Amino acid sequence: MEQRGLGRLRLPGLLALLAGLVVQAALGTRRTQTPRLSASRDLNLWPLPLSVMTTPRLLYLSPRNDFFGHSPTSKAGPSCAVLQEAFRRYYDYIFGFYKWPLGSDNIPREMELQKLEVSVIMDPECDSFPSITSDESYTLLVKGPVATLTANRVWGVLRGLETFSQLIYQDSYGTFTANESNIVDSPRFPHRGILIDTSRHFLPVKTILKTLDAMAFNKFNVLHWHIVDDQSFPYQSISFPELSNKGSYSLSHVYTPNDVHTVIEYARLRGIRILPEFDSPGHTASWGKGQEDLLTPCYHAREPSGTFGPINPILNSTYSFLSKLFKEISTVFPDEFIHLGGDEVNFNCWKSNPAVLRFMRNKRFGKIEKLQSFYMQMVLDMISAMKKRSVVWQEVYDDEGELTPGTVVQVWKKQNFPMKLSQVTAAGFPVILSAPWYLDLISYGEDWRQYYSVKPLNFAGTPEQKQLVIGGEACIWGEYVDATNLTPRLWPRASAVGERLWSHQEVTDLEDAYRRLTRHRCRMVGRGIAAQPLFTGYCEHEGGM
Amino acid sequence: MAGSTLRFSLLLAAAFAGRATALWPWPQYIQTSELRYTIFPQSFQFQYHLSSAAQVGCSVLDEAFQRYRDLLFGSVAFRFPHPIEKRHTSEKNSLVVLVVTPGCDQFPSLGSVENYTLTINDEQSLLLSETVWGALRGLETFSQLIWRSPEGTFYVNKTDIEDFPRFPHRGLLLDTSRHYLPLASILDTLDVMAYNKFNVFHWHLVDDSSFPYESFTFPELTKKGSYNPATHIYTAQDVKEVIEYARLRGIRVLAEFDTPGHTLSWGPGVPGLLTPCYSGSHPSGTFGPVNPALNNTYEFMSTFFLEISTVFPDFYLHLGGDEVDFTCWLLDIVSAYGKGYVVWQEVFDNKVKVRPDTIIQVWREEIPVKYVKELALVTRAGFRALLSAPWYLNHITYGPDWKEIYLVEPLAFEGSPEQKALVIGGEACMWGEYVDSTNLVPRLWPRAGAVAERLWSNKMVSNLDFAFKRLAHFRCELLSSPESRHTPHP
């Protein structure tokens, strides 16, 4: 897909403004070389940046209120909410969560790090939403007395602040310390997502926000919100309030427009997109409660059996309902993409319904799959007409003769997924990979290693095909997950996926990953995320867990 | 036990689909009716019967009354206006508790009687038990019987319950060595154990990874063997608090100090204790189990276990154990201190000569024989047995694995009735390699609840649908109790 290329092309524009050394490092490491690491022994960075150079020279931080600031030449200033909020957060993460150091006044001037100056080079996009093409690259030069963080857009600054916070540690006297370093970084894939499922179990807004925090610590940038499904319809629709009135678990298990807005804005401030999924025509049992005649009546021995199947694809009323609903969704959710689902449609009910069969005969649909494509095509066209783009589960590609170009296909079936990646990309469609990353499937032991060892581009295909893999998602489906166990089940297992999608493909050393991830997990615990342990051991700051 | 009674009670529960279906674990005998009584939080009291052996001042019950008041009415007690209308028969304003045998200051033991009867009818509202421990179990059941209408009124139905545990040892093992568990996590676990009628906290205190138990005879053990001697230790005060907190809930603390293996963390604090390993004819710099060949070892163990025998009041200590000679003399030391002991099955498998009253804990699922067979062998040799093999809850899989845990039948082995009687119970084990306070609670509950019912209820109580309904409800109860920190996974 062109987006990845675009992201890359902008980079030299930024680099031209930086020291020659940095340019060399950045360009030199693009695809051809392993990331450069020096003195990486003690680095606790996660995910590992593209290029890291550190020296043994130590710098001591003075935690002043104005530690973070804007460079005079930056295109962004104090009016940029994304950055002001981020400064406040990272000040807390770095200085607030630990004991204050004793005697930090006695830092020798030449070893002092007084400030981190942030410089945004292009239009900062302070008031925009992040998108698939957002530039997340940044350069971080940590030296005394003033460190600099440079990026084309605010999104890169956010990633750089996270990295900067990971460089800081307290020495044995409690002084905040960092090694002099030079980091050049940009993501390997532009789509790095976490899927949450708020239908099988409702997740309180608080829990979703916590997840967004943890995502930012791992440089994830997409929250795929599988908001409704068979079990419940917690999304409160403005156009069709009955959907959640009747389809939610209870009236307190609902996301109001205000809740949704809160999530979107909280995510935006962390450079995270919200990808809403309204899965149809299957997985829609809960829709039927609040919208009459939407679902297909199933038949048994020529009589309606009283049960209902997928959305009824043969009625005009279905499409006028969907058009109105998706119109609302396309306004409520600012992202360019809407996920339309399209997975696991049970055809038996359709096959049992005489009206459906008649419709198929009239349309000369030979196979039932044709009906599914007919339905999906109708919805896909709606979305295109709304100037949005669609993501669908892989079945839609499998069943569809001609899928709208540019539709993103999400590959989730584990069996032989590299072959599926080959097929879909050969047909020219962008893909998101989830198949090896179903984190709800738990097992005993260190399963993060297997998530970490996945090679997303390890399939038969041309370089152009590989370019079509825009990223991946770790999925934590909700059958056995609610607010009681989401966080420890998701983290740090999802962190393994986070590094796989951000870091260079040759960052694969499991022992080094274990060492860094163990510390990264403790860092998350210190920041209030109940991430579970990798193996035996302990964290210095376990308080509050 | 009358299977017919039980079926009868199951039918009743299904017919009335009332509050009784919320009970966990299911009582031995229960009869409920649709007749219900109103409870007003403001005026409701737990009272001692005039002829009860326990009266005000009985720490165990005084505290329990307070606890269950909070649990039942917690935040609502003062929001409800006092009812002005006259009292009538459809109102219950007390639960009267009658304990037959005196004794509020002892510790619960393997022999403690936990039987109770609970009678709620027009004439009375009575909890009758042999001991305070039985009263505790009855109070828990009573609290599970109370329900709330959508309007917020509290009710209890006319009910008759006669209840007692199937097995006397119903335990839960926590491992505080692989990961340190803060005191609060342990106390929270004891609370939830009481809700499930567990009565033994098997505390696997130390192991290879760390030595958090602060010994006053050998403080170096903790200083050098804990993860962090400032924060990751259990002080004498902590240990006391755990023991007392458990006692007040009718829970025994079975302390385990596993030797001679699993002792790497002991080494730094006691030079010479561990066996230096050799590579060829030179010490390799690594260490193996406790060195049984030295006199010093014997002295150390005598002193250390004297301390342990004093600190932990339970008659039993868990000695871990897997090596022949060593275990032999360690058992002698401990019995000289007047203690009984529990050991892991290897001690039996390796044919160590142990006292006939030793309890053997069966933990291996397949090796050397299937655990069912192992139970037969252990009991045929005349030893008492504890079952843990199918209940390693640290092993997780996708899906509702509680069902498998629930369907285990501890006595499904070939053996005489006398052999069956030697199975004194079982334990759910939560080993700590992958568990700390971040994930302990949702990993433990409600899965351990399945073990709790298996060990308490009649063996005929094994219908999965019936269990699912009650367990799902029980989980939500745990979530909504005032201490909402108890957060079991769905």
Side-chain angles (χ1 to χ4, degrees):
Chain A
M1 229 178 80
E2 69 286 356
Q3 278 80 2
R4 274 174 75 204
L6 271 179
R8 296 265 156 80
L9 286 173
R10 287 202 193 113
L11 197 64
L14 153 64
L15 293 170
L17 298 163
L18 301 170
L21 163 84
V22 180
V23 176
Q24 203 181 12
L27 294 179
T29 50
R30 287 273 70 170
R31 275 263 184 197
T32 49
Q33 256 175 269
T34 43
R36 283 199 204 174
L37 290 173
S38 59
S40 74
R41 212 160 14 95
D42 296 318
L43 281 178
N44 299 325
L45 300 178
W46 191 280
L48 197 65
L50 192 58
S51 153
V52 180
M53 280 175 278
T54 65
T55 78
R57 200 177 138 81
L58 296 179
L59 299 168
Y60 299 113
L61 284 73
S62 29
R64 296 187 242 199
N65 296 338
D66 62 347
F67 186 85
F68 295 104
H70 301 276
S71 149
T73 58
S74 178
K75 291 267 168 60
S79 65
C80 181
V82 173
L83 294 188
Q84 294 304 110
E85 289 288 321
F87 290 171
R88 187 162 68 178
R89 276 198 316 277
Y90 281 98
Y91 186 87
D92 264 352
Y93 293 146
I94 295 171
F95 303 119
F97 282 75
Y98 304 106
K99 304 182 293 282
W100 280 82
L102 303 166
S104 57
D105 302 338
N106 307 329
I107 300 171
R109 272 203 72 77
E110 69 279 9
M111 296 179 78
E112 193 179 2
L113 177 52
Q114 300 170 347
K115 214 171 166 37
L116 174 69
E117 267 192 1
V118 169
S119 185
V120 181
I121 288 172
M122 303 171 80
D123 168 18
E125 302 181 347
C126 287
D127 301 313
S128 315
F129 289 93
S131 75
I132 182 78
T133 55
S134 290
D135 186 341
E136 296 172 292
S137 60
Y138 66 91
T139 305
L140 182 59
L141 196 57
V142 180
K143 59 171 180 50
V146 176
T148 54
L149 169 58
T150 312
N152 284 331
R153 314 282 186 184
V154 290
W155 318 118
V157 176
L158 292 175
R159 305 298 167 244
L161 284 172
E162 177 57 38
T163 303
F164 178 74
S165 75
Q166 297 187 2
L167 286 171
I168 315 300
Y169 58 93
Q170 282 188 287
D171 70 9
S172 43
Y173 300 101
T175 310
F176 297 104
T177 313
N179 284 66
E180 198 177 63
S181 21
N182 186 349
I183 293 176
V184 179
D185 200 8
S186 65
R188 181 177 175 205
F189 295 103
H191 185 113
R192 304 178 308 280
I194 298 282
L195 177 148
I196 56 166
D197 167 3
T198 56
S199 172
R200 273 60 177 258
H201 284 96
F202 181 81
L203 295 172
V205 171
K206 195 173 76 175
T207 306
I208 299 178
L209 302 186
K210 199 91 165 159
T211 303
L212 288 166
D213 280 332
M215 286 173 67
F217 304 155
N218 291 277
K219 296 190 169 69
F220 277 101
N221 66 355
V222 181
L223 179 71
H224 176 163
W225 192 354
H226 186 86
I227 193 165
V228 299
D229 205 294
D230 285 333
Q231 285 75 4
S232 76
F233 197 104
Y235 171 80
Q236 192 176 65
S237 160
I238 307 152
S239 336
F240 301 99
E242 289 304 294
L243 286 171
S244 62
N245 281 347
K246 301 211 169 125
S248 65
Y249 277 133
S250 90
L251 292 183
S252 49
H253 293 85
V254 162
Y255 301 107
T256 64
N258 191 45
D259 290 338
V260 172
H261 181 256
T262 302
V263 170
I264 293 170
E265 181 60 12
Y266 198 91
R268 184 186 85 85
L269 290 173
R270 285 153 186 78
I272 298 172
R273 299 160 49 205
I274 301 292
L275 172 63
E277 176 177 355
F278 285 79
D279 191 354
S280 73
H283 290 279
T284 47
S286 70
W287 303 39
K289 296 177 183 162
Q291 183 67 22
E292 257 179 67
D293 298 329
L294 179 65
L295 303 184
T296 313
C298 312
Y299 277 65
H300 183 73
R302 294 189 174 187
E303 296 292 326
S305 66
T307 62
F308 294 87
I311 283 181
N312 194 333
I314 67 168
L315 303 178
N316 287 335
S317 60
T318 293
Y319 298 103
S320 52
F321 162 78
L322 288 173
S323 155
K324 203 167 164 200
L325 179 67
F326 277 110
K327 187 81 215 163
E328 172 186 328
I329 291 163
S330 72
T331 326
V332 169
F333 293 92
D335 203 75
E336 184 194 359
F337 288 88
I338 296 175
H339 201 303
L340 300 177
D343 59 319
E344 298 183 306
V345 182
N346 181 347
F347 294 133
N348 291 332
C349 184
W350 279 352
K351 283 187 200 157
S352 77
N353 183 303
V356 170
L357 295 174
R358 206 173 319 120
F359 181 85
M360 285 185 59
R361 273 196 303 277
N362 291 343
K363 292 272 184 189
R364 299 184 190 286
F365 292 162
K367 295 185 304 181
I368 195 86
E369 285 80 5
K370 276 276 180 197
L371 186 58
Q372 144 103 336
S373 0
F374 169 80
Y375 171 89
M376 286 311 298
Q377 200 53 56
M378 293 287 279
V379 183
L380 285 163
D381 290 345
M382 269 177 216
I383 303 300
S384 311
M386 294 166 194
K387 303 275 177 266
K388 293 267 185 175
R389 296 175 58 189
S390 304
V391 186
V392 292
W393 295 107
Q394 70 180 77
E395 286 96 321
V396 178
Y397 165 83
D398 293 341
D399 296 343
E400 186 85 358
E402 61 285 11
L403 195 55
T404 314
T407 305
V408 178
V409 176
Q410 186 161 8
V411 171
W412 68 275
K413 294 189 178 179
K414 188 154 189 198
Q415 200 180 9
N416 217 351
F417 71 83
M419 167 116 103
K420 185 56 66 180
L421 291 175
S422 275
Q423 282 175 9
V424 178
T425 54
F429 293 101
V431 280
I432 296 168
L433 177 63
S434 289
W437 293 319
Y438 267 37
L439 269 49
D440 54 315
L441 304 177
I442 52 170
S443 58
Y444 182 69
E446 295 191 55
D447 55 1
W448 69 271
R449 290 172 186 265
Q450 116 205 7
Y451 306 135
Y452 188 78
S453 302
V454 170
K455 296 187 165 74
L457 300 187
N458 210 1
F459 62 87
T462 62
E464 291 71 30
Q465 277 176 267
K466 308 281 166 108
Q467 285 288 317
L468 285 169
V469 178
I470 60 171
E473 289 182 2
C475 302
I476 184 100
W477 293 99
E479 283 87 345
Y480 301 101
V481 177
D482 71 4
T484 63
N485 58 354
L486 173 75
T487 302
R489 199 165 280 200
L490 189 53
W491 309 106
R493 294 161 74 228
S495 305
V497 183
E499 175 152 304
R500 182 53 52 237
L501 294 173
W502 177 279
S503 302
H504 192 277
Q505 62 174 339
E506 296 188 28
V507 179
T508 53
D509 181 338
L510 274 168
E511 285 328 296
D512 182 58
Y514 175 80
R515 191 188 57 74
R516 285 182 297 116
L517 189 52
T518 301
R519 298 188 192 177
H520 180 55
R521 177 253 166 182
C522 285
R523 177 164 48 225
M524 289 196 276
V525 169
R527 293 178 183 184
I529 304 294
Q532 70 181 14
L534 292 178
F535 191 53
T536 58
Y538 74 108
C539 302
E540 285 295 346
H541 303 277
E542 287 176 343
M545 282 301 103
Chain B
M1 264 157 293
S4 57
T5 310
L6 180 89
R7 270 192 291 277
F8 175 57
S9 67
L10 282 176
L11 279 175
L12 270 180
F16 292 113
R19 179 60 193 188
T21 51
L23 293 176
W24 191 276
W26 191 247
Q28 300 287 347
Y29 172 83
I30 173 170
Q31 198 166 14
T32 64
S33 101
E34 279 189 277
L35 185 64
R36 65 187 191 187
Y37 307 100
T38 312
I39 289 177
F40 293 103
Q42 212 94 19
S43 52
F44 181 85
Q45 290 181 11
F46 293 103
Q47 290 175 336
Y48 292 98
H49 192 280
L50 281 177
S51 54
S52 170
Q55 292 294 339
V56 176
C58 173
S59 55
V60 173
L61 291 185
D62 284 354
E63 296 263 336
F65 291 170
Q66 189 60 46
R67 237 172 22 242
Y68 280 104
R69 254 204 96 71
D70 288 351
L71 214 51
L72 282 171
F73 311 122
S75 52
V76 300
F78 301 102
R79 265 191 316 184
F80 273 75
H82 196 279
I84 342 158
E85 324 88 281
K86 62 205 177 306
R87 301 288 148 90
H88 38 82
T89 52
S90 70
E91 180 184 329
K92 285 288 170 204
N93 59 9
S94 67
L95 176 73
V96 177
V97 177
L98 199 167
V99 175
V100 176
T101 311
C104 292
D105 302 321
Q106 301 109 319
F107 290 92
S109 70
L110 179 59
S112 292
V113 178
E114 295 171 293
N115 301 20
Y116 68 93
T117 65
L118 189 58
T119 316
I120 317 279
N121 59 28
D122 289 355
E123 288 76 43
Q124 55 181 349
S125 166
L126 179 71
L127 169 60
L128 171 68
S129 68
E130 179 66 32
T131 66
V132 290
W133 316 120
L136 288 177
R137 304 297 167 245
L139 283 170
E140 175 57 35
T141 303
F142 177 74
S143 78
Q144 296 184 10
L145 285 172
I146 290 178
W147 55 280
R148 252 183 125 176
S149 70
E151 297 74 41
T153 314
F154 291 91
Y155 293 106
V156 64
N157 284 51
K158 182 170 187 277
T159 307
D160 255 314
I161 289 178
E162 204 182 313
D163 201 10
F164 50 87
R166 183 177 174 205
F167 295 102
H169 184 120
R170 305 179 306 282
L172 175 65
L173 176 148
L174 291 185
D175 167 4
T176 56
S177 172
R178 272 59 175 257
H179 286 100
Y180 177 81
L181 293 172
L183 195 61
S185 290
I186 295 177
L187 301 184
D188 285 356
T189 302
L190 289 167
D191 277 324
V192 190
M193 284 174 69
Y195 305 154
N196 286 275
K197 297 189 169 69
F198 274 111
N199 67 354
V200 180
F201 168 41
H202 177 163
W203 192 353
H204 187 86
L205 268 153
V206 301
D207 206 294
D208 284 336
S209 310
S210 75
F211 197 103
Y213 170 80
E214 193 175 56
S215 159
F216 53 84
T217 38
F218 299 98
E220 290 299 302
L221 280 168
T222 333
K223 279 204 187 110
K224 301 206 168 133
S226 67
Y227 279 134
N228 179 337
T231 52
H232 290 61
I233 59 169
Y234 302 105
T235 63
Q237 185 52 39
D238 291 341
V239 172
K240 247 192 221 156
E241 195 175 334
V242 167
I243 293 169
E244 179 61 7
Y245 200 90
R247 184 184 82 85
L248 290 172
R249 284 152 186 79
I251 297 171
R252 299 161 51 205
V253 176
L254 173 62
E256 176 177 356
F257 287 84
D258 194 355
T259 59
H262 293 277
T263 46
L264 278 184
S265 70
W266 305 44
V270 186
L273 180 67
L274 302 185
T275 315
C277 307
Y278 277 67
S279 147
S281 56
H282 298 283
S284 65
T286 61
F287 292 89
V290 168
N291 192 341
L294 299 177
N295 281 341
N296 288 348
T297 300
Y298 186 83
E299 277 161 35
F300 166 79
M301 285 291 167
S302 303
T303 316
F304 182 74
F305 275 96
L306 178 59
E307 171 183 334
I308 299 306
S309 303
T310 325
V311 167
F312 293 93
D314 201 77
F315 176 68
Y316 290 95
L317 285 178
H318 201 300
L319 300 178
D322 49 3
E323 276 187 34
V324 183
D325 298 339
F326 181 83
T327 308
C328 243
W329 59 253
L330 181 60
L331 298 185
D332 287 342
I333 292 176
V334 172
S335 30
Y337 297 140
K339 290 277 185 183
Y341 38 79
V342 186
V343 292
W344 296 108
Q345 71 175 75
E346 286 93 329
V347 174
F348 171 81
D349 296 341
N350 294 341
K351 308 204 165 36
V352 178
K353 191 169 161 297
V354 293
R355 289 201 315 202
D357 58 352
T358 304
I359 298 170
I360 311 286
Q361 187 161 10
V362 174
W363 70 276
R364 312 196 67 161
E365 279 202 275
E366 303 279 346
I367 299 167
V369 293
K370 288 206 179 350
Y371 74 84
V372 182
K373 177 80 178 155
E374 180 83 3
L375 282 174
L377 294 174
V378 169
T379 54
R380 191 189 301 154
F383 293 107
R384 286 173 297 170
L386 272 177
L387 180 61
S388 288
W391 292 324
Y392 267 37
L393 302 188
N394 50 309
H395 291 155
I396 51 170
T397 54
Y398 180 70
D401 59 355
W402 69 270
K403 295 185 178 180
E404 212 176 303
I405 295 167
Y406 185 75
L407 289 176
V408 169
E409 172 41 52
L411 301 187
F413 60 88
E414 282 185 40
S416 65
E418 291 73 26
Q419 276 177 265
K420 307 275 167 116
L422 287 171
V423 178
I424 59 168
E427 290 185 356
C429 300
M430 184 54 77
W431 294 101
E433 283 86 346
Y434 302 102
V435 177
D436 71 4
S437 59
T438 62
N439 58 352
L440 171 72
V441 174
R443 199 165 281 201
L444 190 51
W445 308 108
R447 294 161 77 225
V451 180
E453 176 152 302
R454 183 54 50 239
L455 294 172
W456 178 279
S457 304
N458 191 296
K459 84 180 264 199
M460 314 277 297
V461 180
S462 59
N463 181 298
L464 281 174
D465 295 331
F466 185 53
F468 176 78
K469 273 193 208 116
R470 288 179 298 118
L471 191 55
H473 181 102
F474 184 51
R475 172 185 104 91
C476 291
E477 279 303 295
L478 295 183
L479 285 173
S480 66
S481 58
E483 300 102 310
S484 55
R485 58 177 187 272
H486 306 311
T487 49
H489 83 80

